[in-house]
Amino acid sequence: MSGGPYDPRAIANLMLDEADRSGIDVTNLALQKLLYFAHSIFLIESKRPLVSGYFEAWQYGPVHPTVYSAFKSAGSNPIDFRADRQDVLTGARAPLSLPDDPNIRRHIARIMASYGQLSPGRLVDISHAKDAPWDYIADKGRTSVALGLRIPDDIIVKRFKFHKVSVGATPVAGEPDEDTPLT
């Protein structure tokens, strides 16, 4: 096992590479939920975070602001590019290094096989499950002060078990195009 937590944009790039291999189109909204599930399951199974930074409770579920910014130019279209990094001194852009740990690559392949084929609306439904991390933080934000509506890793570990796949014909949120912060 090598380092980590990883740059969330590198993990997102890895997920997009896996989606391309499987012939799956991924929008920024879907990528946010897929990254959240990958991080959460990894956190629970390995007792350490997959990605650095944090997730926030936005209108359509958990969002990693760094990854959202990296891919927002795709809008509601399938993402057909990869995030890169920028040298703070020179401003030069360069590719992000992908994790070479085979356990990380297997984990991402497993997440994409399990969740990657689901529609964005279905991913939103799962992320909105009652008492799951997003619901808990969003509800707390309505009733008290939740700093920036961040979803802390300890809440993910305690409440991820409340996620379940609903079997309804149509996702409750419909098929949203893009996410927005909760206000």
Side-chain angles (χ1 to χ4, degrees):
M1 286 283 194
S2 62
Y6 296 97
D7 183 315
R9 299 165 303 169
I11 297 296
N13 285 348
L14 198 58
M15 297 183 99
L16 291 167
D17 289 349
E18 187 63 32
D20 283 354
R21 273 193 289 282
S22 305
I24 301 168
D25 285 337
V26 177
T27 63
N28 195 4
L29 187 136
L31 180 63
Q32 296 300 321
K33 306 327 153 219
L34 295 167
L35 182 63
Y36 164 75
F37 293 132
H39 174 75
S40 300
I41 292 167
F42 187 83
L43 183 63
I44 290 162
E45 291 176 353
S46 73
K47 313 280 188 269
R48 60 189 179 105
L50 176 62
V51 298
S52 59
Y54 54 87
F55 289 85
E56 292 179 344
W58 285 25
Q59 180 178 359
Y60 293 117
V63 167
H64 197 296
T66 302
V67 174
Y68 179 82
S69 292
F71 293 103
K72 70 182 175 188
S73 66
S76 60
N77 297 312
I79 298 169
D80 62 358
F81 60 92
R82 299 298 177 261
D84 55 12
R85 62 183 177 79
Q86 188 169 11
D87 185 300
V88 288
L89 298 176
T90 66
R93 303 200 79 74
L96 286 157
S97 301
L98 297 181
D100 54 9
D101 182 334
N103 295 315
I104 299 298
R105 290 178 171 270
R106 273 193 299 277
H107 175 69
I108 296 306
R110 182 172 59 118
I111 295 302
M112 295 306 289
S114 300
Y115 295 94
Q117 304 272 1
L118 299 176
S119 71
R122 181 66 64 222
L123 293 169
V124 169
D125 275 0
I126 297 168
S127 75
H128 279 207
K130 182 160 176 41
D131 296 325
W134 178 91
D135 180 67
Y136 176 80
I137 294 297
D139 187 53
K140 206 174 161 138
R142 286 188 278 274
T143 57
S144 64
V145 178
L147 181 65
L149 294 183
R150 286 187 184 185
I151 305 173
D153 283 348
D154 66 317
I155 298 296
I156 291 173
V157 169
K158 283 184 209 150
R159 299 190 159 273
F160 192 81
K161 64 185 177 213
F162 292 105
H163 285 295
K164 55 193 172 298
V165 179
S166 58
V167 189
T170 308
V172 175
E175 290 296 345
D177 287 338
E178 288 196 74
D179 216 335
T180 54
L182 281 173
T183 51

